[in-house]
Tab-separated table of all heavy atoms in Angstrom:
chain	number	residue	atom	x	y	z
I	29	ALA	N	114.166	116.252	116.871
I	29	ALA	CA	114.190	114.796	117.042
I	29	ALA	C	114.540	114.051	115.754
I	29	ALA	O	115.359	113.130	115.787
I	29	ALA	CB	112.864	114.296	117.619
I	30	PRO	N	113.972	114.406	114.590
I	30	PRO	CA	114.343	113.676	113.369
I	30	PRO	C	115.835	113.815	113.032
I	30	PRO	O	116.488	112.823	112.682
I	30	PRO	CB	113.456	114.304	112.282
I	30	PRO	CG	112.277	114.834	113.028
I	30	PRO	CD	112.838	115.326	114.342
I	31	ALA	N	116.381	115.016	113.129
I	31	ALA	CA	117.799	115.223	112.798
I	31	ALA	C	118.702	114.499	113.795
I	31	ALA	O	119.681	113.845	113.415
I	31	ALA	CB	118.131	116.714	112.773
I	32	THR	N	118.377	114.579	115.079
I	32	THR	CA	119.177	113.888	116.094
I	32	THR	C	119.063	112.381	115.903
I	32	THR	O	120.049	111.653	116.033
I	32	THR	CB	118.742	114.314	117.513
I	32	THR	OG1	118.898	115.734	117.635
I	32	THR	CG2	119.559	113.625	118.584
I	33	GLY	N	117.869	111.901	115.576
I	33	GLY	CA	117.688	110.475	115.305
I	33	GLY	C	118.554	110.011	114.148
I	33	GLY	O	119.183	108.947	114.214
I	34	ARG	N	118.600	110.804	113.082
I	34	ARG	CA	119.460	110.451	111.941
I	34	ARG	C	120.934	110.402	112.354
I	34	ARG	O	121.671	109.514	111.933
I	34	ARG	CB	119.268	111.451	110.793
I	34	ARG	CG	118.018	111.191	109.980
I	34	ARG	CD	117.956	112.030	108.707
I	34	ARG	NE	118.010	113.468	108.950
I	34	ARG	CZ	116.973	114.217	109.302
I	34	ARG	NH1	115.784	113.663	109.453
I	34	ARG	NH2	117.104	115.512	109.489
I	35	TRP	N	121.352	111.346	113.197
I	35	TRP	CA	122.746	111.374	113.648
I	35	TRP	C	123.070	110.061	114.366
I	35	TRP	O	124.100	109.454	114.113
I	35	TRP	CB	123.003	112.568	114.574
I	35	TRP	CG	124.440	112.733	114.930
I	35	TRP	CD1	125.355	113.508	114.284
I	35	TRP	CD2	125.153	112.079	115.992
I	35	TRP	NE1	126.594	113.393	114.880
I	35	TRP	CE2	126.497	112.510	115.934
I	35	TRP	CE3	124.804	111.168	116.981
I	35	TRP	CZ2	127.478	112.076	116.818
I	35	TRP	CZ3	125.772	110.734	117.867
I	35	TRP	CH2	127.091	111.183	117.784
I	36	TYR	N	122.207	109.613	115.267
I	36	TYR	CA	122.449	108.365	116.005
I	36	TYR	C	122.391	107.147	115.081
I	36	TYR	O	123.098	106.174	115.293
I	36	TYR	CB	121.463	108.215	117.172
I	36	TYR	CG	121.916	108.962	118.406
I	36	TYR	CD1	121.570	110.293	118.606
I	36	TYR	CD2	122.728	108.348	119.353
I	36	TYR	CE1	122.006	110.987	119.721
I	36	TYR	CE2	123.164	109.033	120.466
I	36	TYR	CZ	122.806	110.358	120.643
I	36	TYR	OH	123.257	111.038	121.741
I	37	GLN	N	121.575	107.199	114.052
I	37	GLN	CA	121.521	106.097	113.085
I	37	GLN	C	122.795	106.044	112.245
I	37	GLN	O	123.408	104.985	112.085
I	37	GLN	CB	120.305	106.261	112.164
I	37	GLN	CG	118.979	106.020	112.876
I	37	GLN	CD	117.810	106.361	111.987
I	37	GLN	OE1	117.509	105.591	111.068
I	37	GLN	NE2	117.160	107.491	112.232
I	38	GLU	N	123.199	107.173	111.720
I	38	GLU	CA	124.357	107.222	110.823
I	38	GLU	C	125.688	107.008	111.538
I	38	GLU	O	126.595	106.401	110.980
I	38	GLU	CB	124.392	108.579	110.103
I	38	GLU	CG	123.243	108.757	109.145
I	38	GLU	CD	123.079	110.200	108.662
I	38	GLU	OE1	123.921	111.064	109.018
I	38	GLU	OE2	122.105	110.466	107.936
I	39	ASN	N	125.801	107.493	112.769
I	39	ASN	CA	127.088	107.452	113.450
I	39	ASN	C	127.238	106.337	114.470
I	39	ASN	O	128.354	105.882	114.713
I	39	ASN	CB	127.372	108.804	114.105
I	39	ASN	CG	127.579	109.874	113.072
I	39	ASN	OD1	128.541	109.832	112.316
I	39	ASN	ND2	126.665	110.830	112.999
I	40	LEU	N	126.146	105.909	115.083
I	40	LEU	CA	126.252	104.868	116.110
I	40	LEU	C	125.485	103.597	115.752
I	40	LEU	O	125.500	102.635	116.504
I	40	LEU	CB	125.778	105.396	117.467
I	40	LEU	CG	126.549	106.597	118.018
I	40	LEU	CD1	126.063	106.939	119.420
I	40	LEU	CD2	128.046	106.349	118.026
I	41	GLY	N	124.801	103.587	114.622
I	41	GLY	CA	124.156	102.364	114.160
I	41	GLY	C	122.810	102.056	114.763
I	41	GLY	O	122.288	100.946	114.594
I	42	PHE	N	122.195	103.002	115.493
I	42	PHE	CA	120.837	102.776	115.990
I	42	PHE	C	119.897	102.687	114.792
I	42	PHE	O	120.190	103.207	113.717
I	42	PHE	CB	120.398	103.937	116.894
I	42	PHE	CG	120.903	103.838	118.304
I	42	PHE	CD1	122.173	104.279	118.641
I	42	PHE	CD2	120.104	103.315	119.301
I	42	PHE	CE1	122.638	104.192	119.935
I	42	PHE	CE2	120.552	103.226	120.612
I	42	PHE	CZ	121.822	103.663	120.927
I	43	ARG	N	118.747	102.015	114.969
I	43	ARG	CA	117.743	101.974	113.909
I	43	ARG	C	116.456	102.587	114.465
I	43	ARG	O	116.137	102.452	115.646
I	43	ARG	CB	117.517	100.563	113.387
I	43	ARG	CG	116.882	99.619	114.366
I	43	ARG	CD	116.577	98.255	113.740
I	43	ARG	NE	116.152	97.331	114.750
I	43	ARG	CZ	114.935	97.313	115.303
I	43	ARG	NH1	114.027	98.166	114.941
I	43	ARG	NH2	114.633	96.416	116.235
I	44	LEU	N	115.748	103.270	113.587
I	44	LEU	CA	114.504	103.920	113.969
I	44	LEU	C	113.425	102.858	114.156
I	44	LEU	O	113.195	102.034	113.275
I	44	LEU	CB	114.073	104.926	112.897
I	44	LEU	CG	112.833	105.737	113.210
I	44	LEU	CD1	113.058	106.641	114.426
I	44	LEU	CD2	112.436	106.567	111.994
I	45	VAL	N	112.770	102.867	115.307
I	45	VAL	CA	111.679	101.943	115.594
I	45	VAL	C	110.347	102.631	115.331
I	45	VAL	O	109.464	102.074	114.697
I	45	VAL	CB	111.742	101.449	117.060
I	45	VAL	CG1	110.528	100.624	117.424
I	45	VAL	CG2	113.023	100.684	117.308
I	46	LYS	N	110.239	103.873	115.811
I	46	LYS	CA	108.979	104.601	115.673
I	46	LYS	C	109.268	106.091	115.805
I	46	LYS	O	110.146	106.495	116.555
I	46	LYS	CB	108.002	104.144	116.757
I	46	LYS	CG	106.594	104.664	116.603
I	46	LYS	CD	105.676	104.040	117.647
I	46	LYS	CE	104.248	104.501	117.424
I	46	LYS	NZ	103.341	103.915	118.400
I	47	GLU	N	108.480	106.877	115.080
I	47	GLU	CA	108.639	108.321	115.130
I	47	GLU	C	107.260	108.936	114.989
I	47	GLU	O	106.408	108.387	114.282
I	47	GLU	CB	109.554	108.762	113.985
I	47	GLU	CG	109.902	110.217	113.961
I	47	GLU	CD	110.895	110.521	112.852
I	47	GLU	OE1	110.770	109.965	111.740
I	47	GLU	OE2	111.781	111.329	113.103
I	48	GLY	N	107.007	110.058	115.639
I	48	GLY	CA	105.700	110.686	115.486
I	48	GLY	C	105.460	111.823	116.442
I	48	GLY	O	106.365	112.295	117.124
I	49	GLN	N	104.191	112.233	116.482
I	49	GLN	CA	103.738	113.328	117.342
I	49	GLN	C	103.033	112.736	118.556
I	49	GLN	O	102.431	111.676	118.478
I	49	GLN	CB	102.738	114.209	116.587
I	49	GLN	CG	103.297	114.920	115.379
I	49	GLN	CD	104.223	116.050	115.745
I	49	GLN	OE1	105.354	116.042	115.326
I	49	GLN	NE2	103.783	117.003	116.540
I	50	MET	N	103.096	113.476	119.655
I	50	MET	CA	102.346	113.081	120.839
I	50	MET	C	102.025	114.319	121.654
I	50	MET	O	102.812	115.271	121.702
I	50	MET	CB	103.103	112.056	121.681
I	50	MET	CG	104.456	112.500	122.177
I	50	MET	SD	105.331	111.153	122.961
I	50	MET	CE	105.750	111.921	124.506
I	51	GLY	N	100.900	114.310	122.267
I	51	GLY	CA	100.530	115.406	123.151
I	51	GLY	C	100.546	116.776	122.509
I	51	GLY	O	100.227	116.933	121.338
I	52	LYS	N	100.944	117.756	123.279
I	52	LYS	CA	100.892	119.160	122.885
I	52	LYS	C	102.110	119.560	122.059
I	52	LYS	O	103.021	120.230	122.547
I	52	LYS	CB	100.798	120.040	124.126
I	52	LYS	CG	99.556	119.775	124.946
I	52	LYS	CD	99.534	120.619	126.191
I	52	LYS	CE	98.286	120.285	126.989
I	52	LYS	NZ	98.207	121.027	128.221
I	53	GLY	N	102.150	119.142	120.816
I	53	GLY	CA	103.229	119.546	119.927
I	53	GLY	C	104.541	118.815	120.140
I	53	GLY	O	105.560	119.206	119.584
I	54	LEU	N	104.537	117.770	120.953
I	54	LEU	CA	105.758	117.001	121.183
I	54	LEU	C	106.004	116.073	120.004
I	54	LEU	O	105.091	115.415	119.516
I	54	LEU	CB	105.664	116.187	122.467
I	54	LEU	CG	105.529	116.945	123.781
I	54	LEU	CD1	105.406	115.967	124.946
I	54	LEU	CD2	106.705	117.868	124.001
I	55	HIS	N	107.240	116.019	119.561
I	55	HIS	CA	107.640	115.081	118.517
I	55	HIS	C	108.581	114.078	119.184
I	55	HIS	O	109.367	114.451	120.055
I	55	HIS	CB	108.372	115.815	117.381
I	55	HIS	CG	108.640	114.937	116.204
I	55	HIS	ND1	107.724	114.747	115.199
I	55	HIS	CD2	109.710	114.177	115.884
I	55	HIS	CE1	108.223	113.921	114.305
I	55	HIS	NE2	109.432	113.550	114.697
I	56	PHE	N	108.509	112.821	118.811
I	56	PHE	CA	109.385	111.824	119.423
I	56	PHE	C	109.997	110.930	118.365
I	56	PHE	O	109.483	110.804	117.249
I	56	PHE	CB	108.638	110.973	120.460
I	56	PHE	CG	107.722	109.955	119.829
I	56	PHE	CD1	108.174	108.658	119.581
I	56	PHE	CD2	106.431	110.282	119.481
I	56	PHE	CE1	107.340	107.714	118.989
I	56	PHE	CE2	105.590	109.350	118.885
I	56	PHE	CZ	106.049	108.061	118.637
I	57	ALA	N	111.094	110.331	118.720
I	57	ALA	CA	111.722	109.288	117.906
I	57	ALA	C	112.209	108.225	118.879
I	57	ALA	O	112.828	108.534	119.899
I	57	ALA	CB	112.882	109.855	117.091
I	58	LEU	N	111.902	106.987	118.576
I	58	LEU	CA	112.322	105.852	119.393
I	58	LEU	C	113.268	105.022	118.538
I	58	LEU	O	112.902	104.577	117.449
I	58	LEU	CB	111.108	105.028	119.818
I	58	LEU	CG	111.330	103.910	120.813
I	58	LEU	CD1	111.855	104.467	122.136
I	58	LEU	CD2	110.034	103.154	121.054
I	59	LEU	N	114.497	104.847	119.033
I	59	LEU	CA	115.516	104.107	118.295
I	59	LEU	C	116.021	102.956	119.140
I	59	LEU	O	115.881	102.954	120.369
I	59	LEU	CB	116.683	105.041	117.939
I	59	LEU	CG	116.320	106.200	117.025
I	59	LEU	CD1	116.138	107.457	117.839
I	59	LEU	CD2	117.386	106.388	115.988
I	60	ARG	N	116.650	101.999	118.450
I	60	ARG	CA	117.158	100.831	119.174
I	60	ARG	C	118.430	100.321	118.520
I	60	ARG	O	118.586	100.365	117.300
I	60	ARG	CB	116.102	99.730	119.152
I	60	ARG	CG	116.470	98.533	119.979
I	60	ARG	CD	115.329	97.579	120.064
I	60	ARG	NE	115.697	96.523	120.994
I	60	ARG	CZ	114.860	95.704	121.528
I	60	ARG	NH1	113.596	95.779	121.253
I	60	ARG	NH2	115.280	94.765	122.349
């Protein structure tokens, strides 16, 4: 998720809103 989030930020201009852990080892990134 962090690497894919960076790709969308660098190439398509999304910005990171929130990133973190949730539940059973799930990692998330929310971009806009």
Side-chain angles (χ1 to χ4, degrees):
T32 301
R34 281 190 302 278
W35 187 93
Y36 276 89
Q37 290 173 75
E38 293 167 4
N39 293 294
L40 300 185
F42 278 84
R43 67 175 172 77
L44 184 64
V45 173
K46 189 174 184 180
E47 184 176 40
Q49 296 288 123
M50 59 188 232
K52 299 177 181 178
L54 297 178
H55 188 86
F56 75 93
L58 187 62
L59 297 100
R60 186 172 186 164

